Amino acid sequence: MTTEPTAPPATAAPVPPATPLPVLKLESTGTRRTRPARHFADLDTDARRAAVSELGLPAFRADQLSRHYFSRLESDPATMTDLPVAARETLAPSLFPTLLTPISAVDCDGGTTRKTLWRAADGVLAESVLMGYPDRATVCISSQAGCGMACPFCATGQGGLERNLSTAEIVEQVRAAAASARDGALGAGAPTRLSNVVFMGMGEPLANYRRVVDAVHRICDAPPAGLGLSQRSVTVSTVGLVPAIHRLADEGLQVTLAVSLHTPDDELRDTLVPVNTRWPVREVFEAARHYADVTGRRVSIEYALIRDINDQPWRADMLAKLAHRHLGRLVHINLIPLNPTPGSKWDASPAPVQAEFVRRVRNGGVACTVRDTRGREIAAACGQLASTAAQRSGADPAIQGG
Ligand code: SAH
């Protein structure tokens, strides 16, 4: 049983005349996908023991497997040579099926940004981006193949939702990134330990709620139960699915919540983030406040700055006022210079306009920074992660139409 994301409203939001919106696909595309195979990383510690016992192996093998997978970052039983050969042969298909196959990997920023395009067993595509900084290594991961939220400035939103990724498909992106960083993929001098995970790749994480929360446990539980990252180093970003934000607040986690606001007024937000017609700005702020109250964590407000669309001084003032009123000091505004997406005429704001926007938000008493966007030239930056038809045909004929 899959939890389908909340469908955006059936009626299209009004289109501003100067900025025609591309045609949006609100529905899932293609034929119904098969459910991904069960994988070790789908299971919690108890379920791993049960699964291993069901295969006729002693339960202690589950702990051994956890050390291989979560501590040594191995996913192929063939490499787990301290297991009997017969056990490895049983385990490979039943608990360690290949979920994601890398189709391409490109890098930029002097090798410190690496985008990987993955193909799942049923042919859907997802992307992750590993970024090395002097003090940390961050992976940006996908929670869905495609996205159903239809934000007109985001490349992923243009293709519609294909399907939710499974917990293990999400965790596999993180394990692979951690193994790459460890093996020096980010180059000399870069950190070799993956420290941060952001759910800012393809998809709306809170529309795939249970699998994402389970993945957070696998990512953060102490080794060997999980990969052992700090919950505070994990960021879950949402368009503002209000009931799911409340639910996440009560989950007992310490992850950072990021809310993609993009404008403080409902009229424009109905267009930029279509789900706003369901949960307007005020409700989004109230949910963010609940999250901040329960967790004590500062909420991050994401705001893609778009030339002549949402970059006016009055919007900066209104944003600061609302953020301050609802969240006090428990807020940080993150401006993202708009990254170009195919077919969109929208553009980033000029530098002086951006500087004035930052100044006004800060004047309103709210912390505000501009995100250093990575990966623009390899289409790996925010909102550029889309598996285009060109990539499909260039990658592998077997996945065309898949
Ligand atoms: N669906 C989630 C997570 C994925 S997007 C969400 O919307 O929060 C991660 C961030 O990139 C979001 O803030 C999103 O609005 C932003 N984004 C999307 N397209 C963009 C673009 N073209 N330029 C800059 N930021 C973009």
Side-chain angles (χ1 to χ4, degrees), residues 153-154 201 203-204 237-239 260 262 302 336 338-339 341 382-383:
F153 55 91
C154 175
E204 166 51 41
S237 184
T238 177
V239 286
S260 297
H262 304 311
E302 312 290 297
I336 317 169
L338 186 84
N339 292 308
T341 59
C382 302

Side-chain angles (χ1 to χ4, degrees), residues 147-164:
C147 184
M149 297 296 123
C151 303
F153 55 91
C154 175
T156 312
Q158 307 317 300
L161 175 68
E162 296 211 76
R163 70 164 168 81
N164 286 323

Side-chain angles (χ1 to χ4, degrees), residues 205-206 209-210 212-214 216 234-238 241-258 287 290-291 294-295:
L206 296 188
Y209 186 88
R210 196 64 251 162
V212 164
V213 168
D214 287 349
V216 168
V234 173
T235 300
V236 175
S237 184
T238 177
L241 302 186
V242 164
I245 294 174
H246 287 295
R247 193 172 161 200
L248 188 67
D250 298 329
E251 200 71 53
L253 294 172
Q254 280 284 305
V255 296
T256 301
L257 176 71
H290 179 216
Y291 192 85
V294 171
T295 61

Side-chain angles (χ1 to χ4, degrees), residues 183-209:
D183 298 341
L186 293 171
T192 50
R193 200 184 71 81
L194 182 74
S195 52
N196 296 65
V197 174
V198 296
F199 282 85
M200 292 189 181
M202 297 168 76
E204 166 51 41
L206 296 188
N208 187 15
Y209 186 88

Side-chain angles (χ1 to χ4, degrees), residues 140-177:
C140 174
I141 56 168
S142 299
S143 56
Q144 299 181 311
C147 184
M149 297 296 123
C151 303
F153 55 91
C154 175
T156 312
Q158 307 317 300
L161 175 68
E162 296 211 76
R163 70 164 168 81
N164 286 323
L165 298 185
S166 68
T167 296
E169 285 173 327
I170 296 168
V171 176
E172 270 288 276
Q173 295 171 61
V174 181
R175 185 201 57 78

